[in-house]
mmCIF file of all heavy atoms in Angstrom:
data_model
loop_
_atom_site.group_PDB
_atom_site.id
_atom_site.type_symbol
_atom_site.label_atom_id
_atom_site.label_comp_id
_atom_site.label_asym_id
_atom_site.label_seq_id
_atom_site.Cartn_x
_atom_site.Cartn_y
_atom_site.Cartn_z
ATOM 1 N N GLY A 1 3.013 6.462 -17.617
ATOM 2 C CA GLY A 1 4.419 6.045 -17.518
ATOM 3 C C GLY A 1 4.797 5.603 -16.151
ATOM 4 O O GLY A 1 5.516 4.622 -15.919
ATOM 5 N N LEU A 2 4.301 6.379 -15.153
ATOM 6 C CA LEU A 2 4.655 5.999 -13.794
ATOM 7 C C LEU A 2 3.996 4.697 -13.268
ATOM 8 O O LEU A 2 4.408 4.115 -12.315
ATOM 9 C CB LEU A 2 4.361 7.150 -12.807
ATOM 10 C CG LEU A 2 5.324 8.312 -12.914
ATOM 11 C CD1 LEU A 2 4.897 9.397 -12.064
ATOM 12 C CD2 LEU A 2 6.746 7.909 -12.621
ATOM 13 N N CYS A 3 2.886 4.281 -14.006
ATOM 14 C CA CYS A 3 2.338 2.946 -13.706
ATOM 15 C C CYS A 3 3.281 1.851 -14.223
ATOM 16 O O CYS A 3 3.558 0.888 -13.538
ATOM 17 C CB CYS A 3 0.940 2.806 -14.355
ATOM 18 S SG CYS A 3 0.109 1.284 -13.892
ATOM 19 N N SER A 4 3.829 2.033 -15.469
ATOM 20 C CA SER A 4 4.784 1.089 -15.965
ATOM 21 C C SER A 4 6.035 1.054 -15.042
ATOM 22 O O SER A 4 6.636 0.040 -14.862
ATOM 23 C CB SER A 4 5.193 1.524 -17.409
ATOM 24 O OG SER A 4 4.136 1.380 -18.273
ATOM 25 N N TYR A 5 6.377 2.205 -14.542
ATOM 26 C CA TYR A 5 7.509 2.326 -13.582
ATOM 27 C C TYR A 5 7.243 1.373 -12.322
ATOM 28 O O TYR A 5 8.081 0.658 -11.908
ATOM 29 C CB TYR A 5 7.613 3.745 -13.130
ATOM 30 C CG TYR A 5 8.686 4.112 -12.078
ATOM 31 C CD1 TYR A 5 10.045 4.020 -12.379
ATOM 32 C CD2 TYR A 5 8.278 4.713 -10.942
ATOM 33 C CE1 TYR A 5 10.962 4.459 -11.451
ATOM 34 C CE2 TYR A 5 9.239 5.112 -9.990
ATOM 35 C CZ TYR A 5 10.552 4.978 -10.241
ATOM 36 O OH TYR A 5 11.477 5.346 -9.330
ATOM 37 N N GLY A 6 5.998 1.496 -11.803
ATOM 38 C CA GLY A 6 5.653 0.636 -10.688
ATOM 39 C C GLY A 6 5.605 -0.851 -11.018
ATOM 40 O O GLY A 6 6.014 -1.637 -10.246
ATOM 41 N N ILE A 7 5.160 -1.181 -12.234
ATOM 42 C CA ILE A 7 5.129 -2.546 -12.695
ATOM 43 C C ILE A 7 6.549 -3.105 -12.712
ATOM 44 O O ILE A 7 6.816 -4.244 -12.341
ATOM 45 C CB ILE A 7 4.422 -2.701 -14.027
ATOM 46 C CG1 ILE A 7 2.937 -2.309 -13.881
ATOM 47 C CG2 ILE A 7 4.606 -4.066 -14.625
ATOM 48 C CD1 ILE A 7 2.192 -2.125 -15.188
ATOM 49 N N ALA A 8 7.471 -2.333 -13.197
ATOM 50 C CA ALA A 8 8.850 -2.739 -13.303
ATOM 51 C C ALA A 8 9.393 -3.009 -11.867
ATOM 52 O O ALA A 8 10.146 -3.941 -11.654
ATOM 53 C CB ALA A 8 9.761 -1.692 -13.955
ATOM 54 N N CYS A 9 8.994 -2.157 -10.941
ATOM 55 C CA CYS A 9 9.402 -2.357 -9.556
ATOM 56 C C CYS A 9 8.858 -3.640 -9.015
ATOM 57 O O CYS A 9 9.525 -4.400 -8.288
ATOM 58 C CB CYS A 9 8.991 -1.143 -8.693
ATOM 59 S SG CYS A 9 9.667 -1.246 -6.963
ATOM 60 N N HIS A 10 7.624 -3.891 -9.328
ATOM 61 C CA HIS A 10 6.932 -5.197 -8.985
ATOM 62 C C HIS A 10 7.763 -6.362 -9.432
ATOM 63 O O HIS A 10 8.056 -7.278 -8.663
ATOM 64 C CB HIS A 10 5.543 -5.216 -9.563
ATOM 65 C CG HIS A 10 4.822 -6.417 -9.296
ATOM 66 N ND1 HIS A 10 3.563 -6.707 -9.826
ATOM 67 C CD2 HIS A 10 5.019 -7.550 -8.374
ATOM 68 C CE1 HIS A 10 3.077 -7.865 -9.410
ATOM 69 N NE2 HIS A 10 3.989 -8.346 -8.552
ATOM 70 N N GLY A 11 8.247 -6.312 -10.685
ATOM 71 C CA GLY A 11 9.038 -7.407 -11.228
ATOM 72 C C GLY A 11 10.365 -7.580 -10.517
ATOM 73 O O GLY A 11 10.730 -8.720 -10.194
ATOM 74 N N VAL A 12 11.077 -6.466 -10.255
ATOM 75 C CA VAL A 12 12.387 -6.591 -9.528
ATOM 76 C C VAL A 12 12.126 -7.037 -8.091
ATOM 77 O O VAL A 12 12.883 -7.813 -7.560
ATOM 78 C CB VAL A 12 13.071 -5.217 -9.626
ATOM 79 C CG1 VAL A 12 14.406 -5.272 -8.772
ATOM 80 C CG2 VAL A 12 13.437 -4.887 -11.075
ATOM 81 N N LEU A 13 11.118 -6.491 -7.513
ATOM 82 C CA LEU A 13 10.827 -6.765 -6.082
ATOM 83 C C LEU A 13 10.550 -8.271 -5.935
ATOM 84 O O LEU A 13 11.065 -8.968 -5.001
ATOM 85 C CB LEU A 13 9.627 -6.008 -5.609
ATOM 86 C CG LEU A 13 9.171 -6.025 -4.184
ATOM 87 C CD1 LEU A 13 10.241 -5.496 -3.236
ATOM 88 C CD2 LEU A 13 7.822 -5.216 -4.025
ATOM 89 N N LYS A 14 9.778 -8.815 -6.848
ATOM 90 C CA LYS A 14 9.401 -10.275 -6.841
ATOM 91 C C LYS A 14 10.578 -11.163 -7.152
ATOM 92 O O LYS A 14 10.815 -12.157 -6.439
ATOM 93 C CB LYS A 14 8.295 -10.495 -7.874
ATOM 94 C CG LYS A 14 7.885 -11.933 -8.052
ATOM 95 C CD LYS A 14 6.738 -12.089 -9.090
ATOM 96 C CE LYS A 14 6.332 -13.545 -9.272
ATOM 97 N NZ LYS A 14 5.249 -13.685 -10.283
ATOM 98 N N THR A 15 11.403 -10.797 -8.123
ATOM 99 C CA THR A 15 12.413 -11.689 -8.683
ATOM 100 C C THR A 15 13.782 -11.556 -7.919
ATOM 101 O O THR A 15 14.441 -12.538 -7.724
ATOM 102 C CB THR A 15 12.608 -11.429 -10.158
ATOM 103 O OG1 THR A 15 11.363 -11.402 -10.827
ATOM 104 C CG2 THR A 15 13.546 -12.474 -10.790
ATOM 105 N N MET A 16 14.164 -10.359 -7.585
ATOM 106 C CA MET A 16 15.481 -10.136 -7.063
ATOM 107 C C MET A 16 15.496 -9.831 -5.549
ATOM 108 O O MET A 16 16.508 -9.801 -4.959
ATOM 109 C CB MET A 16 16.136 -8.963 -7.805
ATOM 110 C CG MET A 16 16.438 -9.292 -9.255
ATOM 111 S SD MET A 16 17.716 -10.597 -9.380
ATOM 112 C CE MET A 16 17.885 -10.709 -11.181
ATOM 113 N N ALA A 17 14.322 -9.506 -4.959
ATOM 114 C CA ALA A 17 14.305 -9.210 -3.557
ATOM 115 C C ALA A 17 13.358 -10.065 -2.727
ATOM 116 O O ALA A 17 13.118 -9.792 -1.500
ATOM 117 C CB ALA A 17 13.912 -7.710 -3.323
ATOM 118 N N ASN A 18 12.774 -11.096 -3.318
ATOM 119 C CA ASN A 18 11.896 -11.976 -2.640
ATOM 120 C C ASN A 18 10.774 -11.207 -1.894
ATOM 121 O O ASN A 18 10.398 -11.544 -0.775
ATOM 122 C CB ASN A 18 12.672 -12.879 -1.672
ATOM 123 C CG ASN A 18 11.851 -14.100 -1.213
ATOM 124 O OD1 ASN A 18 10.963 -14.548 -1.894
ATOM 125 N ND2 ASN A 18 12.149 -14.577 0.046
ATOM 126 N N TYR A 19 10.266 -10.233 -2.611
ATOM 127 C CA TYR A 19 9.244 -9.372 -2.017
ATOM 128 C C TYR A 19 9.539 -8.608 -0.726
ATOM 129 O O TYR A 19 8.663 -8.069 -0.046
ATOM 130 C CB TYR A 19 7.926 -10.167 -1.765
ATOM 131 C CG TYR A 19 7.134 -10.505 -3.037
ATOM 132 C CD1 TYR A 19 7.134 -11.788 -3.542
ATOM 133 C CD2 TYR A 19 6.418 -9.471 -3.683
ATOM 134 C CE1 TYR A 19 6.417 -12.059 -4.741
ATOM 135 C CE2 TYR A 19 5.665 -9.800 -4.819
ATOM 136 C CZ TYR A 19 5.658 -11.045 -5.363
ATOM 137 O OH TYR A 19 4.949 -11.383 -6.495
ATOM 138 N N ASP A 20 10.819 -8.465 -0.501
ATOM 139 C CA ASP A 20 11.306 -7.682 0.699
ATOM 140 C C ASP A 20 11.598 -6.261 0.229
ATOM 141 O O ASP A 20 12.622 -5.976 -0.273
ATOM 142 C CB ASP A 20 12.548 -8.318 1.330
ATOM 143 C CG ASP A 20 12.954 -7.635 2.573
ATOM 144 O OD1 ASP A 20 12.389 -6.582 2.939
ATOM 145 O OD2 ASP A 20 13.998 -8.010 3.153
ATOM 146 N N GLN A 21 10.620 -5.335 0.454
ATOM 147 C CA GLN A 21 10.818 -3.943 -0.007
ATOM 148 C C GLN A 21 11.872 -3.236 0.658
ATOM 149 O O GLN A 21 12.418 -2.228 0.180
ATOM 150 C CB GLN A 21 9.441 -3.189 0.096
ATOM 151 C CG GLN A 21 9.182 -2.517 1.414
ATOM 152 C CD GLN A 21 8.825 -3.447 2.574
ATOM 153 O OE1 GLN A 21 8.894 -4.673 2.407
ATOM 154 N NE2 GLN A 21 8.414 -2.910 3.673
ATOM 155 N N THR A 22 12.325 -3.678 1.907
ATOM 156 C CA THR A 22 13.362 -2.952 2.572
ATOM 157 C C THR A 22 14.704 -3.099 1.899
ATOM 158 O O THR A 22 15.642 -2.375 2.231
ATOM 159 C CB THR A 22 13.442 -3.433 4.028
ATOM 160 O OG1 THR A 22 13.924 -4.871 4.061
ATOM 161 C CG2 THR A 22 12.080 -3.407 4.767
ATOM 162 N N ARG A 23 14.815 -4.012 0.937
ATOM 163 C CA ARG A 23 16.100 -4.194 0.278
ATOM 164 C C ARG A 23 16.344 -3.175 -0.893
ATOM 165 O O ARG A 23 17.385 -3.020 -1.324
ATOM 166 C CB ARG A 23 16.177 -5.608 -0.316
ATOM 167 C CG ARG A 23 16.208 -6.736 0.775
ATOM 168 C CD ARG A 23 16.672 -7.969 0.164
ATOM 169 N NE ARG A 23 18.058 -7.848 -0.465
ATOM 170 C CZ ARG A 23 18.490 -8.621 -1.433
ATOM 171 N NH1 ARG A 23 17.740 -9.516 -1.979
ATOM 172 N NH2 ARG A 23 19.698 -8.457 -1.878
ATOM 173 N N ILE A 24 15.212 -2.561 -1.325
ATOM 174 C CA ILE A 24 15.343 -1.584 -2.445
ATOM 175 C C ILE A 24 15.584 -0.185 -1.858
ATOM 176 O O ILE A 24 14.790 0.337 -1.158
ATOM 177 C CB ILE A 24 14.073 -1.610 -3.339
ATOM 178 C CG1 ILE A 24 14.010 -2.966 -3.997
ATOM 179 C CG2 ILE A 24 14.141 -0.487 -4.349
ATOM 180 C CD1 ILE A 24 12.762 -3.058 -4.973
ATOM 181 N N THR A 25 16.755 0.391 -2.238
ATOM 182 C CA THR A 25 17.091 1.747 -1.788
ATOM 183 C C THR A 25 17.156 2.736 -2.924
ATOM 184 O O THR A 25 17.276 3.930 -2.696
ATOM 185 C CB THR A 25 18.439 1.740 -1.065
ATOM 186 O OG1 THR A 25 19.467 1.283 -1.944
ATOM 187 C CG2 THR A 25 18.409 0.796 0.157
ATOM 188 N N GLY A 26 17.090 2.275 -4.175
ATOM 189 C CA GLY A 26 17.097 3.243 -5.328
ATOM 190 C C GLY A 26 16.418 2.561 -6.505
ATOM 191 O O GLY A 26 16.509 1.305 -6.701
ATOM 192 N N PHE A 27 15.727 3.375 -7.324
ATOM 193 C CA PHE A 27 15.041 2.785 -8.489
ATOM 194 C C PHE A 27 14.907 3.850 -9.604
ATOM 195 O O PHE A 27 14.142 4.823 -9.453
ATOM 196 C CB PHE A 27 13.648 2.256 -8.105
ATOM 197 C CG PHE A 27 13.096 1.221 -9.018
ATOM 198 C CD1 PHE A 27 13.530 -0.089 -8.799
ATOM 199 C CD2 PHE A 27 12.151 1.473 -10.012
ATOM 200 C CE1 PHE A 27 13.087 -1.130 -9.629
ATOM 201 C CE2 PHE A 27 11.749 0.517 -10.815
ATOM 202 C CZ PHE A 27 12.125 -0.805 -10.629
ATOM 203 N N ASP A 28 15.751 3.742 -10.624
ATOM 204 C CA ASP A 28 15.880 4.762 -11.671
ATOM 205 C C ASP A 28 15.539 4.106 -13.029
ATOM 206 O O ASP A 28 15.891 2.977 -13.306
ATOM 207 C CB ASP A 28 17.262 5.309 -11.709
ATOM 208 C CG ASP A 28 17.837 5.797 -10.413
ATOM 209 O OD1 ASP A 28 16.981 6.076 -9.504
ATOM 210 O OD2 ASP A 28 19.046 5.985 -10.272
ATOM 211 N N VAL A 29 14.840 4.885 -13.890
ATOM 212 C CA VAL A 29 14.487 4.416 -15.200
ATOM 213 C C VAL A 29 14.562 5.550 -16.238
ATOM 214 O O VAL A 29 14.549 6.755 -15.856
ATOM 215 C CB VAL A 29 13.099 3.803 -15.291
ATOM 216 C CG1 VAL A 29 12.904 2.661 -14.304
ATOM 217 C CG2 VAL A 29 11.986 4.876 -15.112
ATOM 218 N N ARG A 30 14.562 5.113 -17.539
ATOM 219 C CA ARG A 30 14.382 6.015 -18.645
ATOM 220 C C ARG A 30 13.141 5.490 -19.363
ATOM 221 O O ARG A 30 13.096 4.318 -19.732
ATOM 222 C CB ARG A 30 15.589 6.103 -19.513
ATOM 223 C CG ARG A 30 15.372 6.836 -20.817
ATOM 224 C CD ARG A 30 16.623 7.057 -21.638
ATOM 225 N NE ARG A 30 17.351 8.215 -21.044
ATOM 226 C CZ ARG A 30 18.437 8.813 -21.695
ATOM 227 N NH1 ARG A 30 18.789 8.348 -22.887
ATOM 228 N NH2 ARG A 30 19.002 9.817 -21.123
ATOM 229 N N PHE A 31 12.212 6.349 -19.724
ATOM 230 C CA PHE A 31 11.020 5.936 -20.439
ATOM 231 C C PHE A 31 11.301 5.969 -21.949
ATOM 232 O O PHE A 31 11.826 6.976 -22.478
ATOM 233 C CB PHE A 31 9.846 6.828 -20.135
ATOM 234 C CG PHE A 31 9.372 6.829 -18.673
ATOM 235 C CD1 PHE A 31 9.715 7.855 -17.860
ATOM 236 C CD2 PHE A 31 8.763 5.710 -18.122
ATOM 237 C CE1 PHE A 31 9.320 7.849 -16.511
ATOM 238 C CE2 PHE A 31 8.388 5.664 -16.785
ATOM 239 C CZ PHE A 31 8.696 6.743 -15.995
ATOM 240 N N SER A 32 10.970 4.882 -22.648
ATOM 241 C CA SER A 32 11.362 4.717 -24.041
ATOM 242 C C SER A 32 10.209 4.627 -24.986
ATOM 243 O O SER A 32 10.371 5.135 -26.146
ATOM 244 C CB SER A 32 12.228 3.454 -24.262
ATOM 245 O OG SER A 32 13.380 3.532 -23.473
ATOM 246 N N SER A 33 9.052 4.147 -24.648
ATOM 247 C CA SER A 33 7.982 3.964 -25.621
ATOM 248 C C SER A 33 6.656 3.855 -24.848
ATOM 249 O O SER A 33 6.575 3.315 -23.731
ATOM 250 C CB SER A 33 8.221 2.642 -26.389
ATOM 251 O OG SER A 33 7.209 2.436 -27.321
ATOM 252 N N PRO A 34 5.591 4.418 -25.461
ATOM 253 C CA PRO A 34 4.262 4.255 -24.788
ATOM 254 C C PRO A 34 3.835 2.805 -24.628
ATOM 255 O O PRO A 34 4.214 1.898 -25.376
ATOM 256 C CB PRO A 34 3.345 4.967 -25.782
ATOM 257 C CG PRO A 34 4.211 5.823 -26.582
ATOM 258 C CD PRO A 34 5.498 5.092 -26.699
ATOM 259 N N VAL A 35 2.984 2.601 -23.611
ATOM 260 C CA VAL A 35 2.419 1.291 -23.271
ATOM 261 C C VAL A 35 0.900 1.428 -23.303
ATOM 262 O O VAL A 35 0.375 2.474 -22.903
ATOM 263 C CB VAL A 35 2.886 0.827 -21.876
ATOM 264 C CG1 VAL A 35 2.274 -0.441 -21.460
ATOM 265 C CG2 VAL A 35 4.410 0.704 -21.892
ATOM 266 N N TYR A 36 0.251 0.359 -23.691
ATOM 267 C CA TYR A 36 -1.265 0.351 -23.660
ATOM 268 C C TYR A 36 -1.700 -0.570 -22.547
ATOM 269 O O TYR A 36 -1.063 -1.598 -22.223
ATOM 270 C CB TYR A 36 -1.777 -0.161 -24.991
ATOM 271 C CG TYR A 36 -1.576 0.788 -26.164
ATOM 272 C CD1 TYR A 36 -0.473 0.650 -26.996
ATOM 273 C CD2 TYR A 36 -2.405 1.871 -26.405
ATOM 274 C CE1 TYR A 36 -0.202 1.569 -28.046
ATOM 275 C CE2 TYR A 36 -2.190 2.802 -27.396
ATOM 276 C CZ TYR A 36 -1.067 2.629 -28.210
ATOM 277 O OH TYR A 36 -0.849 3.549 -29.208
ATOM 278 N N PRO A 37 -2.768 -0.208 -21.835
ATOM 279 C CA PRO A 37 -3.344 -1.077 -20.811
ATOM 280 C C PRO A 37 -3.650 -2.435 -21.354
ATOM 281 O O PRO A 37 -4.081 -2.607 -22.508
ATOM 282 C CB PRO A 37 -4.666 -0.312 -20.375
ATOM 283 C CG PRO A 37 -4.404 1.049 -20.786
ATOM 284 C CD PRO A 37 -3.551 1.079 -21.977
ATOM 285 N N GLY A 38 -3.372 -3.453 -20.545
ATOM 286 C CA GLY A 38 -3.662 -4.856 -20.874
ATOM 287 C C GLY A 38 -2.473 -5.537 -21.514
ATOM 288 O O GLY A 38 -2.581 -6.769 -21.756
ATOM 289 N N GLU A 39 -1.433 -4.847 -21.821
ATOM 290 C CA GLU A 39 -0.250 -5.528 -22.412
ATOM 291 C C GLU A 39 0.560 -6.259 -21.290
ATOM 292 O O GLU A 39 0.467 -5.964 -20.159
ATOM 293 C CB GLU A 39 0.639 -4.489 -23.177
ATOM 294 C CG GLU A 39 -0.080 -3.882 -24.336
ATOM 295 C CD GLU A 39 0.855 -3.007 -25.180
ATOM 296 O OE1 GLU A 39 1.537 -2.123 -24.585
ATOM 297 O OE2 GLU A 39 0.832 -3.097 -26.410
ATOM 298 N N THR A 40 1.381 -7.174 -21.810
ATOM 299 C CA THR A 40 2.200 -7.996 -20.922
ATOM 300 C C THR A 40 3.632 -7.354 -20.804
ATOM 301 O O THR A 40 4.279 -7.151 -21.829
ATOM 302 C CB THR A 40 2.305 -9.418 -21.484
ATOM 303 O OG1 THR A 40 1.012 -9.989 -21.588
ATOM 304 C CG2 THR A 40 3.117 -10.283 -20.537
ATOM 305 N N HIS A 41 4.057 -7.137 -19.588
ATOM 306 C CA HIS A 41 5.331 -6.537 -19.292
ATOM 307 C C HIS A 41 6.394 -7.654 -19.021
ATOM 308 O O HIS A 41 6.161 -8.426 -18.095
ATOM 309 C CB HIS A 41 5.268 -5.555 -18.186
ATOM 310 C CG HIS A 41 4.344 -4.379 -18.408
ATOM 311 N ND1 HIS A 41 4.797 -3.098 -18.115
ATOM 312 C CD2 HIS A 41 3.090 -4.241 -18.874
ATOM 313 C CE1 HIS A 41 3.807 -2.256 -18.413
ATOM 314 N NE2 HIS A 41 2.805 -2.915 -18.880
ATOM 315 N N LEU A 42 7.419 -7.701 -19.798
ATOM 316 C CA LEU A 42 8.489 -8.617 -19.498
ATOM 317 C C LEU A 42 9.708 -7.797 -18.904
ATOM 318 O O LEU A 42 10.321 -6.975 -19.599
ATOM 319 C CB LEU A 42 8.996 -9.305 -20.808
ATOM 320 C CG LEU A 42 7.925 -10.082 -21.575
ATOM 321 C CD1 LEU A 42 8.547 -10.573 -22.894
ATOM 322 C CD2 LEU A 42 7.477 -11.281 -20.756
ATOM 323 N N VAL A 43 9.869 -7.951 -17.649
ATOM 324 C CA VAL A 43 10.931 -7.210 -16.959
ATOM 325 C C VAL A 43 12.215 -8.068 -17.015
ATOM 326 O O VAL A 43 12.306 -9.137 -16.373
ATOM 327 C CB VAL A 43 10.606 -6.886 -15.516
ATOM 328 C CG1 VAL A 43 11.633 -6.005 -14.829
ATOM 329 C CG2 VAL A 43 9.211 -6.166 -15.430
ATOM 330 N N GLU A 44 13.154 -7.597 -17.804
ATOM 331 C CA GLU A 44 14.418 -8.245 -18.016
ATOM 332 C C GLU A 44 15.467 -7.709 -17.054
ATOM 333 O O GLU A 44 15.643 -6.517 -16.983
ATOM 334 C CB GLU A 44 14.867 -8.128 -19.484
ATOM 335 C CG GLU A 44 13.830 -8.615 -20.503
ATOM 336 C CD GLU A 44 14.186 -8.271 -21.919
ATOM 337 O OE1 GLU A 44 15.101 -7.327 -22.133
ATOM 338 O OE2 GLU A 44 13.631 -8.899 -22.866
ATOM 339 N N MET A 45 16.177 -8.577 -16.311
ATOM 340 C CA MET A 45 17.070 -8.188 -15.263
ATOM 341 C C MET A 45 18.455 -8.781 -15.310
ATOM 342 O O MET A 45 18.632 -9.887 -15.752
ATOM 343 C CB MET A 45 16.433 -8.551 -13.935
ATOM 344 C CG MET A 45 15.162 -7.759 -13.556
ATOM 345 S SD MET A 45 14.171 -8.511 -12.284
ATOM 346 C CE MET A 45 13.114 -9.596 -13.266
ATOM 347 N N TRP A 46 19.388 -7.921 -14.889
ATOM 348 C CA TRP A 46 20.839 -8.368 -14.822
ATOM 349 C C TRP A 46 21.298 -8.018 -13.390
ATOM 350 O O TRP A 46 21.131 -6.828 -13.061
ATOM 351 C CB TRP A 46 21.708 -7.635 -15.848
ATOM 352 C CG TRP A 46 21.359 -7.910 -17.264
ATOM 353 C CD1 TRP A 46 22.071 -8.774 -18.110
ATOM 354 C CD2 TRP A 46 20.363 -7.375 -18.031
ATOM 355 N NE1 TRP A 46 21.517 -8.765 -19.387
ATOM 356 C CE2 TRP A 46 20.457 -7.930 -19.375
ATOM 357 C CE3 TRP A 46 19.284 -6.458 -17.819
ATOM 358 C CZ2 TRP A 46 19.566 -7.603 -20.470
ATOM 359 C CZ3 TRP A 46 18.445 -6.147 -18.796
ATOM 360 C CH2 TRP A 46 18.580 -6.676 -20.135
ATOM 361 N N LYS A 47 21.864 -8.949 -12.674
ATOM 362 C CA LYS A 47 22.339 -8.598 -11.279
ATOM 363 C C LYS A 47 23.867 -8.661 -11.227
ATOM 364 O O LYS A 47 24.463 -9.605 -11.658
ATOM 365 C CB LYS A 47 21.755 -9.597 -10.289
ATOM 366 C CG LYS A 47 21.992 -9.263 -8.838
ATOM 367 C CD LYS A 47 21.277 -10.113 -7.874
ATOM 368 C CE LYS A 47 21.365 -9.661 -6.418
ATOM 369 N NZ LYS A 47 22.771 -9.507 -5.979
ATOM 370 N N ASP A 48 24.426 -7.570 -10.775
ATOM 371 C CA ASP A 48 25.832 -7.423 -10.521
ATOM 372 C C ASP A 48 26.049 -6.816 -9.123
ATOM 373 O O ASP A 48 25.812 -5.632 -8.928
ATOM 374 C CB ASP A 48 26.483 -6.519 -11.577
ATOM 375 C CG ASP A 48 26.365 -7.096 -12.996
ATOM 376 O OD1 ASP A 48 27.154 -8.018 -13.261
ATOM 377 O OD2 ASP A 48 25.491 -6.577 -13.762
#
């Protein structure tokens, strides 16, 4: 689960922070369903 957590951070870091890790000060999630290795993660984002 914490690997999926890191993948989600990768998606937000790439899309919303232009790979600047210094912009991220908090990162919270709820785990909802198991993931299998090799699957494609679609990180859906809303910015406010």
Side-chain angles (χ1 to χ4, degrees):
L2 287 177
C3 185
S4 294
Y5 177 68
I7 294 167
C9 187
H10 180 188
V12 175
L13 186 62
K14 175 180 180 178
T15 309
M16 294 293 182
N18 195 29
Y19 282 108
D20 181 359
Q21 87 286 8
T22 66
R23 295 195 60 205
I24 293 181
T25 61
F27 206 79
D28 307 342
V29 303
R30 171 171 282 194
F31 299 107
S32 298
S33 180
V35 174
Y36 292 95
E39 294 186 314
T40 304
H41 295 230
L42 301 175
V43 185
E44 303 172 341
M45 291 162 273
W46 296 257
K47 190 172 187 301
D48 296 285

